[in-house]
Amino acid sequence: MRLVSLNIVRFLFLILIQLLVVDQISLGFMENYISLVIYVSFLLTFPINTSNYLLLVVALILGLTIDMFKDSGGIHASACLFLAFLRPFVLRRLQSQNPIDEVEELTVYTEDLKKYITYTVLLLSGFFFWLFLLEEFSFSRIPMILLKTLLSTIFSTLLIIIGQYLLFRRPKI
């Protein structure tokens, strides 16, 4: 029960941070090329031992909530679902290289930093590629989509990792 209530609070907190802080950051001329997101860190840190179907439902609710506030027509919900769909495959791939410890959730404290960055970059790349592909809705704009995906993935990964260092507590050994 404690984990459920903690995740509900984290869900609401990340949505508020995204809408009230991150979306208000002005990037100047780079604003057309970089999209900062922090709310997807909820899906990245979602407990590993839960059902994949539950993860898909939570991803849909998270994406629809963001779409409702941004009036973006469902592209965030679709991108969150795509990230949730990719997550088990990425976790399995990372486990085959170097087994992921039996942890409740993946954070910078519970996992090796290099593995966590790889995990985050892979999932955010898929998320942003799908998001920008739906936003542009044109295969002729693939070079621009790839550039936006690269820049957004780099800056959002940095933002998520810094946020985790600030918001998560180091587990007691």
Side-chain angles (χ1 to χ4, degrees):
M1 187 64 185
R2 182 183 174 286
L3 185 62
V4 172
S5 59
L6 179 68
N7 278 321
I8 290 171
V9 169
R10 187 182 305 159
F11 181 92
L12 295 172
F13 178 72
L14 286 171
I15 289 173
L16 286 174
I17 292 293
Q18 178 71 43
L19 297 172
L20 299 176
V21 178
V22 176
D23 286 349
Q24 307 306 318
I25 296 172
S26 176
L27 300 171
F29 71 94
M30 294 299 286
E31 205 159 285
N32 293 331
Y33 301 103
I34 298 174
S35 177
L36 294 174
V37 296
I38 196 160
Y39 71 92
V40 295
S41 68
F42 182 78
L43 298 175
L44 296 174
T45 60
F46 200 72
I48 294 173
N49 53 3
T50 57
S51 165
N52 289 334
Y53 298 114
L54 178 62
L55 177 65
L56 289 170
V57 169
V58 169
L60 178 65
I61 292 169
L62 178 64
L64 286 175
T65 305
I66 295 295
D67 283 325
M68 182 178 65
F69 285 106
K70 290 188 172 198
D71 195 26
S72 52
I75 62 173
H76 288 271
S78 179
C80 284
L81 280 170
F82 188 66
L83 184 146
F85 178 75
L86 289 177
R87 185 176 183 243
F89 299 110
V90 171
L91 283 173
R92 256 186 259 131
R93 179 67 182 140
L94 288 176
Q95 284 178 343
S96 68
Q97 293 173 353
N98 189 7
I100 292 178
D101 300 325
E102 289 299 320
V103 294
E104 226 171 74
E105 57 190 8
L106 288 175
T107 66
V108 291
Y109 292 120
T110 61
E111 193 53 55
D112 175 45
L113 183 61
K114 181 180 175 188
K115 190 185 291 185
Y116 188 79
I117 289 173
T118 303
Y119 165 76
T120 304
V121 165
L122 289 173
L123 288 178
L124 281 180
S125 296
F127 171 83
F128 281 120
F129 181 76
W130 189 256
L131 181 76
F132 295 139
L133 186 64
L134 291 176
E135 192 177 78
E136 300 288 336
F137 210 69
S138 171
F139 285 111
S140 64
R141 306 253 320 152
I142 289 289
M144 179 59 71
I145 292 170
L146 291 174
L147 175 66
K148 289 170 74 173
T149 298
L150 176 69
L151 293 174
S152 296
T153 298
I154 291 169
F155 287 101
S156 290
T157 299
L158 290 172
L159 185 65
I160 287 171
I161 289 175
I162 290 169
Q164 283 197 7
Y165 276 119
L166 293 175
L167 299 176
F168 281 91
R169 283 189 237 147
R170 181 177 297 268
K172 295 176 184 174
I173 298 174

